[in-house]
Amino acid sequence: MQVTLRIRRYNPEHDREPHWEEYRLQADPTDRVLDLLNRVKWEVDGTLAYRRSCAHGVCGSDAMIINGKARLACKTLVKELSQPITVEPMRGFRVKKDLIVDFTGFFAAYRSIKPYLINNDPEPERERLQSPHDRERFDDTTKCILCGCCTTSCPSFWANPDYVGPAAIVNAHRFIFDSRDQAADERLRILNSRDGVWRCRTIFNCTEACPRGIEVTRAIQEVKRAILLGQR
Ligand code: SF4
Ligand code: F3S
Ligand code: FES
């Protein structure tokens, strides 16, 4: 089949404004948008810039806006999309070039919630055990691949880029509800600040956008409850 791919291009060295460029390509219905981008880059225009790595929905590096929605290019099949297929950089972030956005703030927000296990007890001789029930408590939020589809879909984030954003809260949840961790209060204090969880207006775009099927809004609500009621 023939497909039309419209890509929002921007090269800060030459362009004052972003502009659309259109490419007509032969594709199989089971090709992924990433295959189309690779074909453009490798066969038509080597200057096209986008991030990708694993090509299998694991690394989280090729999130972009495809036909108006945040998705991973490597997980989006041509046959799922109406034509022309439009591809744009993620919203709410500064565009560095073409489909590459500046993720400095995104990762600063992620680091701010201390996304690692903190336990100051003496090091045990063997691993710290946890019951299946306790492990289940944060199972959903361990699935995050930090793609940013949730944060780029959140109107509260568009309005206020200082909002820590759903991705950072999901990763805070992963440790706040881990029975082996001892820094939940510290993370809750960080998220109870001006640009923390209360910027979330329960809009649910994040949950719809997550390619890992994480119940993002639910995780945010659980963090809010933990702050207000101490429920963990
Ligand atoms: Fe991506 Fe989902 Fe993690 Fe958000 S919660 S960064 S959408 S994997
Ligand atoms: Fe935004 Fe999701 Fe909350 S879209 S407002 S973080 S529920
Ligand atoms: Fe790794 Fe798509 S390239 S998630």
Side-chain angles (χ1 to χ4, degrees):
M1 66 188 283
Q2 189 166 74
V3 297
T4 303
L5 185 66
R6 298 188 73 223
I7 306 177
R8 196 158 167 88
R9 307 270 325 246
Y10 173 65
N11 182 343
E13 287 175 12
H14 305 127
D15 305 331
R16 274 210 218 128
E17 296 285 330
H19 62 280
W20 291 96
E21 285 194 23
E22 203 164 283
Y23 306 87
R24 287 181 193 282
L25 305 164
Q26 278 301 320
D28 287 329
T30 52
D31 277 346
R32 296 135 342 140
V33 171
L34 181 61
D35 297 316
L36 303 185
L37 294 173
N38 286 341
R39 212 163 295 151
V40 171
K41 184 168 181 74
W42 296 338
E43 297 170 17
V44 184
D45 181 353
T47 67
L48 178 65
Y50 52 101
R51 291 192 179 106
R52 79 285 192 198
S53 181
C54 71
H56 288 91
V58 177
C59 73
S61 53
D62 62 343
M64 51 191 75
I65 308 295
I66 301 171
N67 281 10
K69 287 188 178 169
R71 316 177 208 231
L72 298 176
C74 67
K75 293 272 284 180
T76 307
L77 301 180
V78 166
K79 66 180 179 186
E80 294 167 356
L81 300 168
S82 60
Q83 291 211 43
I85 298 169
T86 60
V87 184
E88 303 165 69
M90 296 168 92
R91 300 189 181 109
F93 298 99
R94 183 180 68 83
V95 179
K96 294 177 89 169
K97 187 180 178 196
D98 294 335
L99 303 171
I100 296 180
V101 296
D102 185 353
F103 249 25
T104 309
F106 179 85
F107 282 113
Y110 171 64
R111 282 194 300 273
S112 77
I113 54 82
K114 302 181 188 285
Y116 38 83
L117 191 89
I118 299 176
N119 186 316
N120 295 320
D121 289 346
E123 214 169 282
E125 279 185 16
R126 48 172 301 183
E127 71 271 28
R128 295 186 166 95
L129 295 177
Q130 187 167 52
S131 71
H133 177 263
D134 284 347
R135 175 61 177 74
E136 178 65 27
R137 191 68 195 82
F138 60 96
D139 193 58
D140 198 34
T141 45
T142 58
K143 294 187 290 192
C144 178
I145 55 172
L146 286 173
C147 64
C149 283
C150 53
T151 299
T152 193
S153 304
C154 173
S156 292
F157 176 71
W158 303 335
N160 176 14
D162 289 331
Y163 168 35
V164 69
I169 303 171
V170 159
N171 285 278
H173 179 285
R174 182 255 170 270
F175 290 101
I176 289 167
F177 293 91
D178 186 333
S179 60
R180 302 163 300 180
D181 187 88
Q182 297 177 337
D185 289 343
E186 202 178 334
R187 294 193 191 88
L188 292 174
R189 189 177 43 73
I190 293 163
L191 290 173
N192 195 22
S193 63
R194 202 189 52 173
D195 295 315
V197 284
W198 308 113
R199 294 269 179 204
C200 168
R201 304 286 193 261
T202 322
I203 295 171
F204 272 91
N205 284 11
C206 51
T207 301
E208 267 179 45
C210 180
R212 303 285 293 170
I214 297 170
E215 292 188 73
V216 180
T217 311
R218 181 194 175 119
I220 297 171
Q221 293 302 100
E222 289 183 356
V223 172
K224 287 177 179 173
R225 266 203 300 275
I227 292 172
L228 283 180
L229 309 170
Q231 284 178 1
R232 293 216 289 277

